[in-house]
Each structure stands twice: as C-alpha cells, then as structure tokens.
Amino acid sequence: MRYIQATVVVMLLLIALPGHTQSIRGNVVDAVSRQPIESALVINADDPTSRTSTNANGDFVLPSGKRIQVSFVGYKPALIETDPRSRMLISLTPDVIDLKDVVLQSNAVSRFSSLSKIDLDIRPVKNTQELLRLVPGLFIAQHAGGGKAEQIFLRGFDVDHGTDVQVSVDGMPVNMVSHAHGQGYADAHFIIPETVNNIDFGAGPYYTRQGNLNTAGYVSFSTYKNIARSLVQVEGGRFNSFRTLAMIDLLKKNKDRQSAYIAADFNYTDGPTISKQVFRRLNLFGKYNLQISGKTNLSATLSSFSSSWDASGQVPERAVADGTIDRFGSIDPSEGGNTARYNANLQLNTRFHNGSSWENQAYYSRYLFTLYSNFTFYLNDPVNGDEIEQGESRNIFGYQSKFSQQHFIGKSTLYSTYGAGIRYDATNDSRLSNVVNRKFISDIKRGDIREANAFAFMGQQLNTGNWIIDAGLRLDYFHFRYADKLSTVQLPAQRKAILSPKLNIQYSVNPYLQFFVKAGKGFHSNDTRVVIENSGREILPAAYGTDLGMILKPTKNLYLSLAAWHLHLDQEFVYVGDAGVIEPSGKSKRQGIDLVARYQFSKKFFANANFNFTRPRAIGEPKGNDYIPLAPAFTSVGGIYYKAVQGFNGGISYRYIQDRPANEDNSIVAKGYFLLDASVNYTRPRYEIGLALENMFNTKWNEAQFATESRLYNEANPVTELHFTPGTPIYARVKLAVFF
C-alpha cells in the first residue's frame, strides 16, 4: 500500500506541472544502413545543460538551440545547425567503438542500452542462447540441444523457462502463459540472432511497460529496421553440425522512405549424445518499413519457425556411476519433440508537430508444441515406463497503444507516457498424456484454455537538473477460463486485477558518477488450470523489489555499475511436469549484489565481466531447510575481445556458476562449472572467415540439473538424487560469410 500511495502522490505532482511545447525536433539514423539510432545523445551546443536522447525510433525533441551536438558510441559525433521550421534528419557515420563516448547523463529517455549495443558489436552471437547471455546477470542452461526453451537463471531465481522473466521481440511477447510445459515458457529460438539490433533489459519489477512475469526482470529484443548489406553464411562443426544463413536487402534505394529485407536460417546437429539428436530448425523472417507521410511510419514483420529433435533426456548419477549408461547415454532414448511458431507483427508510429508521439501495435501468433519426456523412468509404471507427452496448439492475439508527450518547464523536461492494451491466448487441446515410445496410452489432463490480460499504464518522468524522478502506475486485469475435456463438470471462470506502482529516482553528480534508487511491485500469474481448480486462489502473487546503486566511470575507459537489491515474492511456483500441476511453495526473499564492469584497453581491445551474488531463501521454513532448489548464489560471465573494422577479430569468454542446492535442505547439490570459449575471425569488406571453439579445455560439466525421485527398470525401490543433461564437450566450428 505504501508503494501505491507514494507513487500516486509523485505522479499527481508531476502531472500538475505546467509546460510549453516550443522545440527542436529531429531523427538520427546510421549513415550507411539508415537504421534509426536509439539512445544517441543530443546536446544544445550553446547550453550543454539542455540535452536529451533519441527514442527507439531515433526521434528526439529539444527545447531550443541554434546548434546541436549529436553523438553515440561507435559513431563519429556531428555538430548540426538547427532548423526550427522543420524536422531534421541527422546521419551519423559509423566509427570505431570507444567506451569514453559513454556518458552518464541525466536523461529520462536513455536506459543505457548502449551497453548492450557495445557487447553485440564486440561479441557477435551465433544463436539465440548467446543473445540471452549478453544480458548482465542472466544465466541459461539448455535441456535438449536447442529444441526446448532455455532454463533461465536471474537474480537468484531458477526461472524455469520464463516464469519470472518477461521476454519480447519488437514489442511482441515471447512468453507463453498457461503453457503445456511450464508457466511463462519463453522459446526465443524463432529469433535469428543476426537480425537483432539492440537488447533492452532490466532487473527487478521496476518498469511500467512490463507486466506479467516481470519479477526478476525483463529482456526486450529489437530487430533491425534496415540492414547495411546482404549476407550469405555457412557454418560447420563437430557432431555433424551445420548452419546456413541468408539476409537479403530487397530495397537498397531511398531507405528513408521504405525498406525491406528477408532472412532465412537453417540449423542441423546430431549433438554429442550417443543417440543422435537429429535436430533440425528452420527460421524465416521478413520486415518491411514504409514512411506513409512525414509524420507516420509503418513497420510490418512476418516470421516463421519450426524445429524437431530427438533427445536423450536427463540421466541419473547412479546409472552413470555403476556403468549402466555412459554420461552421454540415455535411459529412455525416445524423448524429443517438435514445435512451430508463425508471427505477424504490425506497428504504426505517428509523430505530432508538438513532439508527442502515438504508437500502435497489433500482433498475432500461431503456435504448435509437442514434447516427449521421461523424468522418473519406471517410478509410476514399472512395466511401460513413465514417458509423457505434453502438447498444445495456440493462437495469440494482441494489441497495445502508447501515447508519449514532452513538456519543457524552463530547463526541465517532463516525459509523460500513457498506454493500454490486451493480450488474448486461446489454447486448444492442451494436454498431458501417458505414452510409450511416443504412442498414446491415456490422458492425464486435456482441455482448452482461454486467458485474457487487459492492461493500462501511466508514467511520469521529470528530468530536472541532475535529477530524474520516474513514477509509474500499472493496472492489469485477467480473465481465466478452462474447458476440461476429461470431466463432465466444468468449473466457473475466474477474474482478478492487480495494481503495480513503480518509483525510480536517479541523481547524476557529474558525467562520471550517478546514484539511483528503485522501488516497485510486479507479479507473475499462475497457470489457468491451477487457477480454475483452486477457485481463484494464488492467481497473481506479487513481488516487491528495491534497488540501491551507483554507476561510475573512474577513468574514461572504465565503466562500473554496482547495485544492492532486495526482492520479496508472495508465492513461489514449482512446476511438476509429470503430474501436470503447478505447486505453490510459499513466500521467498532474495538479497544480492550485482556488479557490471566494462574496460577498454585500446581502440581495439576490450574486456567485460558481470558478477552476481545472491542469497535466496524461503520464508517460514526452518533454518537449514529453507534453501530454494536450483537458485544460484553466485554467477559470473565475461571475456576479453579484440575488435577491428577489418582484419583479425576475436576473443575469449568465460561463464561460471557456483555449486548450488538442488533441494530444500542442500543435501543434494547441483554442481557448478567454469567454461572457456574462444573465437577468431578474419574480416574483409566482401567476406569473413572464422573459427570458434567452445569448452576449449574439454571440461566435464552438467548443464541442466534437478533433484528427482526416479526408479530404473531393475530397481525395487525409488531413489532421489541428482539427474542431469551432460554439457557439450570441446566443440569446434568454422564459418564463411559473403557480403554484397
């Protein structure tokens, strides 16, 4: 309640401030690709205290100024004579990356997304997993060689596949609510990594635009509006792995008015397991942009994704120890599955003469999913085994609208944002079934889900002097309905609303030191089936978070961010896959420290590292029995990279996760690991050749790990112990790319 009262008071004070709309307006783009540049710094050259930055569309509004200086990391700065009579189009020329260009500014628009842009530039990614690993503090594990969504870890959460991290691409949600395999399931493999222009991210529940599942944090990918050149690429590596990629620029002329490109990506691998994975994935992507008028822009995106695979599944430690199977063997080799997703995304952005803007977005997804798993082997059925099928077909419809406005009060700026929208999920034949060798035996659960989420939000950000005061309020309303195909008795639908206030304050001492405090309320929804079966109890448990931190640049080439944080969750959810239920496991709290460091030794030599310390504990449990299974206590990722425009490029990166409890009393431990990867590329204007080496020291490690009760075929009694999927051994990959 205190969150709500404080936030409402601040918002009312900010809204009451008077303002005027005299302004300099413009748009900043890349001079080569014509791609809009987000977070470019725009300063009144005659009054440096008057400054702003560009939004996601490259637009900016400044109160006044005869000359402005425009700059962004990786581009040559430009000094421009202004023309208040018309909207300016400013082109920045690409240049070498220089960390000294990163300025800690008092600006409400900038979210310091330039950091992720630097990481993308110096460490090109090869798959969607690598995209997620660029998010500071986020750690992942893969269950099935790229067939399933990754298991995500962030801020002391085992997020499963997305229960507490909201993921989106170009404003379209990736997470699946009430999913057949787990709440919030976020399979981002339909994203072709080379199409990603920027990654916006945030830890904690402090962001007004982010709603359901934003408790530990959010990740928002944005794809290129335009591409600078076409590309054809082939890759090949160990385990009979290969990948082909093509990105074709369709309209090379007059890109400021319209642009279009398509991309296609095909992957195949047999994987390191004894039973071949026969993994196939095909991605198609197309994007078209049209400037309908001087004020209105249209962006249309179509994409498709399909994959199929076999999997060896998780293996019990005892079966490997006694020689029953190899580490890369399997108990049930018939695991695997197939999935597909087809997306249409339409965005219409309109700018008004006074600098305000109106963004509208409509999207549709068609989704298909089938997964075969066996977690417990012969625990429940000692004859046929415990193999299960999880599956669904789904349609997602969504619409959202946002109106943004700026008011200038002297040298202060008030940014106002108002938004609303709805998401509707219609899941047909969502099922959990007993199977043998993928052949149907009997149903455990089967039915149709209808889940609607309507929302509205308002945010007020005051940028005055060295201060930013950002207050927001969000309202979410849910309607849950489930048609149970295995019962003649249908339970009534359930409804619930939740109000989420946010308050963020930032103070910049100077361009090299900044302090911030964040406070907010977020939530994650429960699975519709569980909501209906429990008459609406534990529908939308809340999360309450606070951050206190600082950002500093002690030298021009060193960037540091330090945050101490606390998060309280009203209810943890644990998904029990073989029973098809989501079990509440009580309240929890997490406290931690996050440290982000970036250093540039020279024009071409960079280093980065993230360190994340967390103490996750269940509330109300006896000491020593209050561990949260699989919640990481310490993770770190980083590397050293050499980046040149042409010639040789490369780097060495590491990732480390400490041993962590696999059960509540820490009697079973999920083993930590330290891995090193390396890559080297030789780049010319027309081509690039490269070599990548993963797990270069051939470390023996476990990727996904769980404490599971299981029984093998020849065992009389079940055993609870660690089950794991083996991490990939040393793996080499070569590539050839041609640009045109």
Side-chain angles (χ1 to χ4, degrees), residues 150-168:
E150 283 79 16
Q151 184 182 8
I152 301 174
F153 303 94
L154 180 65
R155 284 206 157 181
F157 278 85
D158 167 20
V159 180
D160 192 28
H161 297 293
T163 307
D164 290 281
V165 173
Q166 187 189 89
V167 184
S168 65

Side-chain angles (χ1 to χ4, degrees), residues 108-126:
V109 177
S110 175
R111 295 182 300 275
F112 219 84
S113 56
S114 55
L115 250 192
S116 63
K117 184 64 175 173
I118 291 174
D119 289 345
L120 271 172
D121 285 342
I122 65 175
R123 184 185 169 185
V125 296
K126 63 184 183 297

